[in-house]
Amino acid sequence: MINNKISDYVNRAQLAINDWQCSGEIYYLEQAKAELAEAVLLADELAKKKPTFLQYSAETQGRFTSSFLYDTSEEALEGIRPDLNVGDLVIVYQQEESQWQPYIDMDDLIEKFISQADDEAGEAAEAWCDFISGNALAQARKELDEQLNDVLEAWLRKHKIDAGWYDRAGVEGTYRFCGDKFIRVGKAGDDAALVSKVP
């Protein structure tokens, strides 16, 4: 899963690289480097934030998806068993609690400010719009971005507002339902591994 804010930093770095390719100004490379450094710091911070707690879900290929999360892959297979036909392939997915949280995108916010100024004053606001979005305030905008998002994060924490959903973290395995048991299928030598039996 890619955090939206990390993605935003990476997108801004890509835009700065594009600007450098057009202008050749080193400032844009420095800006891209700073954006990528922020993305790396945030990714490290999120990785340390809380341990991954995996759950499992199962689905047949294109026909039926279990709407439940289970503590083990075996429980996920047993949960989907009543809906299976002999020979069905079942994929068991690892699920992890989403780390997503809303954030304030400064680029969007500045665009809204520019739109408000234009609505208010039209051409008379042009110099103000150029200044607030220009290179001279790049560092100040970054500072405001951090401060506003720190306030938002503290507010979310105070009110215990979490995403509350699970994201797919990977595939645990693929199994063929043989009527009384599940057989793991995959690379050669794996296909005879018995996973569960009806008691």
Side-chain angles (χ1 to χ4, degrees):
M1 174 210 65
I2 298 176
N3 178 286
N4 285 345
K5 192 166 182 187
I6 294 172
S7 181
D8 191 44
Y9 282 128
V10 171
N11 289 339
R12 286 199 298 244
Q14 289 171 335
L15 290 173
I17 290 167
N18 291 344
D19 288 341
W20 169 77
Q21 288 174 325
C22 293
S23 70
E25 291 183 35
I26 291 180
Y27 162 79
Y28 292 113
L29 288 180
E30 291 169 348
Q31 184 180 358
K33 180 181 175 183
E35 297 291 353
L36 290 174
E38 290 294 328
V40 169
L41 285 173
L42 183 57
D44 284 345
E45 191 179 303
L46 287 174
K48 295 173 190 168
K49 212 168 208 182
K50 65 173 160 176
T52 301
F53 175 64
L54 289 178
Q55 298 252 273
Y56 299 88
S57 66
E59 72 176 47
T60 61
Q61 291 188 326
R63 191 171 58 83
F64 180 81
T65 303
S66 169
S67 57
F68 299 102
L69 294 175
Y70 298 91
D71 292 333
T72 67
S73 57
E74 289 81 7
E75 289 174 1
L77 289 169
E78 290 304 319
I80 202 171
R81 179 188 291 272
D83 300 297
L84 298 177
N85 298 318
V86 172
D88 279 348
L89 280 178
V90 179
I91 303 169
V92 175
Y93 291 99
Q94 296 173 331
Q95 307 272 21
E96 64 182 6
E97 194 173 348
S98 177
Q99 300 296 308
W100 179 88
Q101 69 175 42
Y103 70 100
I104 298 165
D105 184 321
M106 275 309 298
D107 291 338
D108 288 348
L109 195 57
I110 294 297
E111 286 300 317
K112 285 181 183 170
F113 291 162
I114 289 170
S115 178
Q116 290 171 358
D118 187 53
D119 288 347
E120 181 66 27
E123 287 183 21
E126 198 171 302
W128 184 88
C129 294
D130 289 344
F131 180 67
I132 198 168
S133 62
N135 290 344
L137 285 186
Q139 190 59 37
R141 286 194 304 273
K142 184 175 173 185
E143 178 186 325
L144 181 59
D145 180 292
E146 290 169 1
Q147 291 174 353
L148 290 174
N149 279 292
D150 286 347
V151 169
L152 176 60
E153 187 175 343
W155 180 80
L156 292 167
R157 229 182 2 255
K158 176 182 176 184
H159 296 286
K160 298 180 177 139
I161 302 171
D162 290 323
W165 64 79
Y166 281 73
D167 295 322
R168 283 187 179 168
V171 174
E172 185 279 330
T174 302
Y175 303 85
R176 184 168 304 282
F177 180 57
C178 297
D180 65 336
K181 61 187 176 183
F182 290 96
I183 303 293
R184 187 174 187 130
V185 294
K187 58 184 187 221
D190 246 358
D191 51 341
L194 181 62
V195 173
S196 65
K197 267 190 181 176
V198 174

